[in-house]
Amino acid sequence: MEEIGIVIVGGGIAGLATSIALHRKGIKSVVLERAEKVRSEGAGIGTLSNGWRALDQLGVGDRLHLNSSLIHKARTMLIENGKKREFVSNIVDEARCIKRNDLVEALSDALPKGTIRFGSHIVSIEQDKTTLFPVVHLANGNSIKAKVLIGCDGANSIVSDYLQLNPKKAFACRAVRGFTKYPNGHGFPQEVLRIKQGNVLIGRLPLTDNQVFWFLVHMQDNNHNGKDQESIANLCRKWADDLSEDWKEMVKICNVESLTLTHLRYRAPSEIMLGKFRRGTVTVAGDAMHVMGPFLAQGGSAALEDAVVLARCLARKVGPDHGDLLKDCSMKNIEEAIDEYVDERRMRLLGLSVQTYLTGRSLQTSSKVLRLMFIALLLLLFGRDQIRHTRYDCGRL
């Protein structure tokens, strides 16, 4: 049986970022990715100031700046019975939209060759009865014993199942994300604009002068699976049918291959507050730990924060001097490091999950009474500065 010091499950944003953070602290890791190559599918990721601080710590911020434009303001417009209400927040710090594949490629390129093992499909995890360290079993029949196992394998995480975390919950809505290119320029302001009309929430973020990332959420229509790209495109056109011409045009001329359809899910705030995110020397990060709705645009940035904090905590207890297999590092030290990571992240993630949940519910409900209740709770818990979460600093690596 192969023995590895630190094994990271999942080669998405959280997994690659965690491996880079460890690498920059002089600690080696192996990333097990079930796909045969780096997964670059997906559309855009709104990345706020806290996310850019983490990217700078990971050493890839400068590269990603080259292909994204600054966002100066966030606007939300509610249209009901022909009446419009608008809420505007000025963004003082840095906010940009970046392509997911640009981010994933930047992260993967920063890793030493051989760090990512593609085609590694995990089928089960068990605890070694003698050493109490985790053992990962792969679909090809091989097994790996790890000193540290970090699950960055998304919302359907096999590692979170091993930790016996409760299943994620689902919002009663689905979302499509995509890109639209305007060869002659789109002419839109450098802002995040969201419009809620009826059961549809649509938003756009300029990526460059010629390209826009957009998302479309239907609060009630859960009957479509989107079996192929063209069916997803047709679904978007149907959802956008009652919107203004510029929005319908944006959806109509989009890059069909960029479209992704997802059923929005979240980990309940109570689970964030009370969940046990460590079992022995096993833990989770990214969506496996705290999948949340897109209503604050913090899912990706929070995953980057996880990577910085986890690597920092492990480095304090493990350090680069224990070698690839961490032979001289005790289980007690590793467990203490993971506990420090979980403790540091828990309250930050609780705040994000509560604010995301309340924001999503306020947009989703058709009841004015419930909407006012959710807005009142947001004001009570987070004050009038509803973008304070963007100024969070996860600290130096």
Side-chain angles (χ1 to χ4, degrees):
M1 184 184 301
E2 184 180 10
E3 295 186 12
I4 298 175
I6 299 179
V7 172
I8 298 170
V9 182
I13 293 170
L16 297 177
T18 300
S19 187
I20 289 175
L22 290 167
H23 172 64
R24 290 174 69 87
K25 298 297 287 185
I27 302 172
K28 292 186 178 181
S29 64
V30 169
V31 178
L32 302 181
E33 168 54 45
R34 65 183 298 171
E36 297 299 327
K37 60 180 181 179
V38 172
R39 290 180 288 119
S40 59
E41 76 279 358
I45 297 176
T47 309
L48 306 173
S49 303
N50 54 299
W52 287 103
R53 292 188 186 99
L55 287 169
D56 288 340
Q57 291 301 308
L58 297 173
V60 297
D62 288 344
R63 169 173 168 172
L64 293 167
H65 279 139
L66 300 175
N67 297 318
S68 59
S69 301
L70 276 170
I71 304 295
H72 302 297
K73 160 169 85 167
R75 279 198 301 147
T76 300
M77 187 181 299
L78 302 179
I79 302 176
E80 294 179 299
N81 301 320
K83 296 180 180 179
K84 296 181 181 180
R85 287 187 298 156
E86 188 171 307
F87 307 88
V88 181
S89 297
N90 292 316
I91 301 174
V92 178
D93 298 317
E94 185 171 19
R96 300 171 186 264
C97 180
I98 54 179
K99 288 184 177 180
R100 185 188 184 280
N101 58 347
D102 286 350
L103 174 56
V104 171
E105 287 174 5
L107 294 172
S108 61
D109 288 349
L111 286 170
K113 188 176 180 180
T115 298
I116 309 172
R117 296 188 183 181
F118 296 106
S120 299
H121 181 196
I122 296 175
V123 293
S124 65
I125 304 168
E126 65 176 348
Q127 190 177 55
D128 185 275
K129 294 180 180 178
T130 303
T131 65
L132 302 182
F133 286 114
V135 177
V136 174
H137 299 290
L138 305 179
N140 62 8
N142 295 335
S143 296
I144 299 172
K145 183 186 292 185
K147 277 286 187 77
V148 183
L149 181 64
I150 304 169
C152 299
D153 44 341
N156 297 313
S157 168
I158 191 173
V159 182
S160 67
D161 291 341
Y162 175 79
L163 294 177
Q164 300 177 344
L165 296 172
N166 290 331
K168 287 81 176 175
K169 298 182 181 295
F171 284 103
C173 52
R174 297 198 178 206
V176 176
R177 300 171 176 89
F179 290 114
T180 299
K181 190 171 184 179
Y182 297 82
N184 298 320
H186 51 69
F188 299 136
Q190 293 301 116
E191 64 180 13
V192 181
L193 175 59
R194 300 187 300 178
I195 294 180
K196 170 73 182 338
Q197 181 175 331
N199 287 320
V200 170
L201 170 68
I202 191 167
R204 68 180 181 223
L205 296 81
L207 185 69
T208 64
D209 291 339
N210 297 93
Q211 194 167 33
V212 173
F213 164 62
W214 56 268
F215 57 88
L216 181 57
V217 182
H218 199 287
M219 303 301 180
Q220 302 295 333
D221 192 346
N222 290 314
N223 300 319
H224 299 274
N225 294 320
K227 295 179 181 179
D228 54 54
Q229 297 305 107
E230 195 56 46
S231 67
I232 297 174
N234 289 333
L235 185 62
C236 288
R237 296 182 192 114
K238 173 188 171 185
W239 287 352
D241 193 49
D242 293 331
L243 300 175
S244 61
E245 290 301 321
D246 59 332
W247 291 99
K248 286 195 285 189
E249 179 71 8
M250 183 184 71
V251 171
K252 181 180 178 180
I253 65 172
C254 74
N255 176 6
V256 174
E257 293 304 313
S258 72
L259 299 178
T260 57
L261 173 66
T262 56
H263 194 162
L264 300 182
R265 288 175 291 172
Y266 65 98
R267 190 173 292 287
S270 59
E271 179 80 355
I272 297 291
M273 182 170 62
L274 302 173
K276 188 174 181 181
F277 293 112
R278 178 184 67 80
R279 179 180 173 188
T281 59
V282 180
T283 191
V284 282
D287 280 354
M289 186 182 198
H290 50 71
V291 63
M292 61 185 77
F295 307 109
L296 295 187
Q298 279 287 11
S301 293
L304 297 170
E305 292 176 7
D306 294 341
V308 173
V309 175
L310 179 52
R312 185 171 64 225
C313 290
L314 281 170
R316 282 199 293 255
K317 295 288 185 178
V318 175
D321 300 325
H322 293 286
D324 295 356
L325 301 179
L326 310 182
K327 287 183 178 178
D328 300 324
C329 186
S330 69
M331 174 176 279
K332 181 175 181 290
N333 279 358
I334 297 171
E335 290 176 341
E336 288 177 353
I338 295 175
D339 284 341
E340 288 180 6
Y341 156 69
V342 171
D343 288 345
E344 184 170 341
R345 294 302 292 154
R346 193 183 297 275
M347 294 310 296
R348 164 64 171 167
L349 296 172
L350 178 60
L352 288 177
S353 65
V354 169
Q355 190 173 359
T356 300
Y357 175 77
L358 292 175
T359 302
R361 290 301 304 273
S362 70
L363 292 168
Q364 184 180 355
T365 184
S366 58
S367 167
K368 291 183 179 180
V369 174
L370 286 177
R371 183 179 301 120
L372 287 173
M373 183 186 74
F374 290 130
I375 292 173
L377 285 171
L378 283 166
L379 289 171
L380 177 65
L381 295 173
F382 304 102
R384 294 192 175 276
D385 185 5
Q386 293 289 308
I387 61 170
R388 184 174 55 195
H389 57 86
T390 69
R391 294 190 288 276
Y392 179 85
D393 189 346
C394 64
R396 297 184 63 83
L397 183 58

